[in-house]
Amino acid sequence: MNFIKHIILLLCSFIIGGCLLQEKEILIGIDNYDTSNMLLMAKEMGYLDKNFKIVRFSTRDDNNVSFYIGNVDIIYTTFFNSIYYYGKGEPGKIFYFTTISLVKDGLLLRENSKDLLGKKIGVEINNHEYYNTIIKLIPSEQLNLFKPVSLMEEEGIHLYLKGDLDGIFLHEKELNELLEEKKGFLYNNQVIESTKIEVLVAKEELLNKKPKTLIKVIDAWNKIVSLKSEDPELYKSLYEKIEKNYGYFEKDSLEIDYLTRTDNQNIRKNNLIIKNYEDYLSELNKNLEFSTLYQGVIENEN
């Protein structure tokens, strides 16, 4: 009888051990923008437990590609990119809308000229959404005349100031700083405005089988958003600590609107979200139902 009990206990331990081995950590991909930093901050504060691992990619498109080839389980990305990449690999859906911001970008030139012939101009590497926006600044007859140089913004500014570039596309903050320092001229005296909507996207398998895991990510995100307003000094020191450990994060907007759980519960009625959704579909020549892209895990919360 004791022998049978030992066998049963041994079998149970194998079964339980097997289940534990199958529990793998959840990989969350982030990029080089400042709002991505907030997930690293959540991890640092212990809001995301040991079952979550943050993987930082050097560019936004590297992060997206990593998700759609199946290397990470969740990504912090943009609404535009969730549409751009949909159907190109791993099935995934938005489960939370995080931010809306008005982004302003411009082209800084060393010479005050509208002629771009032969000019070497720095353009942020691997960011479809950004490139799709900034080329609207350039008249069609000038588009094929300049030589784009792919690089990260921080490196591009260094090369521009050194004299190795004739111009560089910049986000509002860096653009204004260099214009104030009289380090160049604003091309065509014009910036272009665009709405950037950021989202969290998860594998459909995770959405369907482990929605509570995704709610943990949402909770962690919102705790950091709260920390920003409730204890700005702690938030700032934490942000700087993460940058010191992981490198510089770009900031492309001076004003960010953080979407709440309530906003997300009513996201299908948000006119700005729906307008941008329709604009992106038109721009990318795609036909996708909103429900194909979005599966909210908190919509039915009371």
Side-chain angles (χ1 to χ4, degrees):
M1 193 69 169
N2 286 334
F3 176 76
I4 294 173
K5 284 182 180 179
H6 283 305
I7 294 295
I8 291 172
L9 287 171
L10 190 62
L11 287 172
C12 287
S13 67
F14 276 127
I15 292 169
I16 292 169
C19 291
L20 291 173
L21 286 173
Q22 289 173 8
E23 284 291 323
K24 68 181 187 68
E25 61 186 356
I26 304 296
L27 301 181
I28 304 176
I30 65 171
D31 54 46
N32 58 310
Y33 279 89
D34 64 328
T35 37
S36 276
N37 187 331
M38 294 172 73
L39 285 169
L40 279 170
M41 293 163 73
K43 182 69 175 175
E44 181 74 18
M45 290 291 288
Y47 301 153
L48 288 171
D49 61 36
K50 63 181 181 181
N51 293 321
F52 295 93
K53 181 179 180 181
I54 311 293
V55 183
R56 182 189 171 177
F57 293 88
S58 58
T59 72
R60 178 151 281 174
D61 280 359
D62 285 348
N63 184 31
N64 288 308
V65 169
S66 181
F67 175 83
Y68 288 99
I69 63 175
N71 286 348
V72 295
D73 305 294
I74 298 169
I75 50 167
Y76 189 88
T77 186
T78 66
F79 195 14
F80 175 94
N81 280 311
S82 72
I83 295 173
Y84 177 85
Y85 282 97
Y86 187 85
K88 296 187 177 183
E90 180 72 41
K93 289 186 177 183
I94 298 166
F95 67 93
Y96 197 76
F97 285 80
T98 58
T99 69
I100 298 178
S101 56
L102 179 64
V103 179
K104 297 179 182 179
D105 299 291
L107 171 56
L108 187 69
L109 289 177
R110 191 172 301 285
E111 299 175 357
N112 192 9
S113 171
K114 292 185 179 182
D115 185 9
L116 301 180
L117 180 63
K119 287 184 167 52
K120 290 193 296 182
I121 296 177
V123 182
E124 184 182 332
I125 192 171
N126 287 355
N127 191 336
H128 284 285
E129 181 171 15
Y130 181 57
Y131 189 71
N132 193 65
T133 299
I134 58 176
I135 58 172
K136 296 172 186 173
L137 283 165
I138 312 298
S140 56
E141 65 272 13
Q142 292 284 324
L143 267 179
N144 296 320
L145 300 182
F146 69 90
K147 299 174 182 177
V149 180
S150 295
L151 34 68
M152 301 304 292
E153 187 177 67
E154 189 178 30
E155 176 194 5
I157 291 172
H158 173 73
L159 292 176
Y160 173 81
L161 293 175
K162 189 180 171 185
D164 292 342
L165 293 175
D166 301 304
I168 183 171
F169 288 101
L170 291 172
H171 301 309
E172 181 181 15
K173 178 177 178 288
E174 290 76 14
L175 180 65
N176 289 343
E177 287 174 356
L178 291 176
L179 286 171
E180 286 175 11
E181 294 171 10
K182 302 191 184 303
K183 300 292 186 182
F185 301 89
L186 181 62
Y187 179 72
N188 218 18
N189 201 31
Q190 176 189 7
V191 295
I192 189 156
E193 296 184 352
S194 60
T195 301
K196 186 180 74 170
I197 300 168
E198 294 183 321
V199 297
L200 285 161
V201 175
K203 291 179 177 179
E204 285 191 20
E205 181 183 12
L206 196 57
L207 267 164
N208 296 328
K209 293 183 178 179
K210 295 186 176 181
K212 289 182 179 179
T213 296
L214 303 180
I215 290 174
K216 287 181 182 178
V217 176
I218 293 169
D219 288 343
W221 166 265
N222 281 307
K223 284 178 182 177
I224 292 295
V225 173
S226 296
L227 183 68
K228 188 171 186 179
S229 57
E230 293 169 5
D231 194 340
E233 287 301 315
L234 175 58
Y235 178 92
K236 183 174 181 290
S237 65
L238 190 58
Y239 186 100
E240 290 172 349
K241 178 182 178 181
I242 297 296
E243 273 206 326
K244 184 178 179 181
N245 292 338
Y246 290 90
Y248 174 74
F249 285 83
E250 290 189 25
K251 187 175 181 67
D252 63 356
S253 176
L254 302 179
E255 302 263 344
I256 298 176
D257 180 19
Y258 293 94
L259 297 173
T260 66
R261 296 173 84 96
T262 303
D263 291 330
N264 272 268
Q265 288 166 347
N266 297 294
I267 209 73
R268 298 172 197 269
K269 299 176 183 176
N270 187 307
N271 292 332
L272 184 58
I273 296 286
I274 298 304
K275 181 185 182 304
N276 278 272
Y277 156 70
E278 292 170 349
D279 289 346
Y280 295 153
L281 289 180
S282 174
E283 217 166 290
L284 295 170
N285 195 27
K286 288 200 172 189
N287 183 22
L288 294 169
E289 293 293 328
F290 193 81
S291 58
T292 302
L293 297 165
Y294 173 68
Q295 185 174 326
V297 293
I298 63 167
E299 281 189 296
N300 297 321
E301 282 186 330
N302 293 322

